Amino acid sequence: MKILIIGSGGREHVLTWKIKQSSLVKKIYCAPGNGGMAQIAECVDLKDTDIPGLLKFAKEKKIDLTVVGPEAPLVLGIVDVFEKEGLKIFGPAKAAAQLEGSKVFAKEFMHKYGIPTAPFRIFSDSKSAKDFLTRSRFPLVVKADGLAAGKGVVICKTLEEANCAVDQIMQERIFKEAGDKIIIEDCLLGEEVSILAMSDGENYVVLESAQDHKRIFDDDLGPNTGGMGAYSPAPIATLQVIDEVEKRVIEPVIAGMREEGTPFKGILYAGIMMTAMGPMVLEFNTRFGDPETQAIIPRLKNDLVELMHGSCEGQLNDVELIWDKRPCVCVVMSSGGYPGKYETGKEITGLEQFDHDSRGFVFHAGTKKEGEKILTSGGRVLGVTSLGNDVEDAIKNAYEMVEKIHFDRCFFRRDIGAKALRKTNVVGRL
Ligand code: AMP
Ligand code: GLY
């Protein structure tokens, strides 16, 4: 099979790495890819949102399966366009990707189908939103409706903060039309966990759990980032928790989307808060998480291409996922200054020594290949990942690898996995 992988992050590198292991695969193209993907596949210079360009390429090259990494092309409807032309593509159609593309859609859907989530109100003008805020108790969460590159959620401790968030989103329009509507919802307390499922529109399989580290600094301090590290499984996601999330979230979403006439195919990512009232949904993504995927996929033993093919063809019934019992930890190395301003073009050294490591992998995100050199080209640069006999061992090996990789002004958190270590004796759902 010929495969086209769309995207350029660590998530897409781990997907490429895994897909390359499939005996079904002859050739892999990545659009646009990155420095790491360029070492194992052929990169083509097409933007992930250039749907006409990607379609033309897939037709010319007779691509058998296209895999979409990021949310933007899904929300723009790339799956509908490819399927109309008879091309196989892994991911949800535009109407189903609304679960991520519109928080208003997702909240109304959850409300309709009784899926546990924070109580909320929807506003389409700033005056009504601010009137509501004067009558509210804090903290509260203000969210822009549409895609905002992970920056559209503001946790507000005071009325002033909330008014400011409403102004920025609705008056200054910092997220443009993504802020035409907002959600104001209760602030939930608890620990977060990511539960991903793969669906074919009717059947689904639940993947192993993972936990992200969204803040830039140790101990979850500082501004939010795309994710500074992850581990899988998340000890907090016990068998009982996974079972509850499956019954109360995954199953009703898949059934509800079918009932709405917009079946959900692809990856359903439920961002869950473990509250005193049980698991509640913070958000849905309609794709693999980044960096969660770097921690989950190295543990998957099944052929990923077979699974993705099964999702496209409605054949995920009877599929059983097989997992490496070893936990996996991914430490993100970023450019100094990220998530604010940072410099790029720094040479990365020390990468070659891990080429033959059987349990450690360096997944590239913001990198590019220039001649024989690998240079930094983004905020999150590398996902240094290791399996381990236990979490402690995985953390130790990942950080030993990190210490051997160098680039100017590199930054990483030193506490990835620490939360998992504090919860001993639980090994996910195995
Ligand atoms: P989202 O873009 O909806 O994933 O939200 C980003 C992050 O904001 C989540 O991962 C949580 O850390 C936080 N968040 C979102 N909604 C809430 C909420 N209702 N209560 C507390 N934290 C929230
Ligand atoms: N790591 C969070 C996300 O992929 O949205």
Side-chain angles (χ1 to χ4, degrees), residues 28 34 40 48 54 131 153 169 174 200 211 221 267 289 303 311 317 342 355 367:
I28 308 177
N34 61 31
I40 56 172
D48 61 5
L54 292 163
D131 283 351
V153 174
I169 298 172
I174 56 171
D200 62 8
Q211 221 157 4
L221 297 174
I267 294 291
D303 183 323
S311 160
N317 51 319
Y342 55 82
D355 284 353
T367 74

Side-chain angles (χ1 to χ4, degrees), residues 103 107 118 141 143 150-155 185-189 192 214-215 224 271 273 281-285:
K103 292 190 194 298
K107 291 297 275 194
V141 184
K143 299 184 170 184
K151 300 189 186 104
V153 174
V154 191
I155 311 231
E185 68 180 35
D186 286 4
C187 189
L188 300 176
L189 286 179
E192 287 182 48
K214 286 184 206 285
R215 306 297 192 97
N224 259 332
M273 185 77 95
V281 177
L282 291 169
E283 60 156 348
F284 289 121
N285 296 321

Side-chain angles (χ1 to χ4, degrees), residues 212 214 226 269 285 287 289-292:
D212 191 3
K214 286 184 206 285
Y269 165 134
N285 296 321
R287 43 138 184 109
D290 190 341
E292 291 94 323

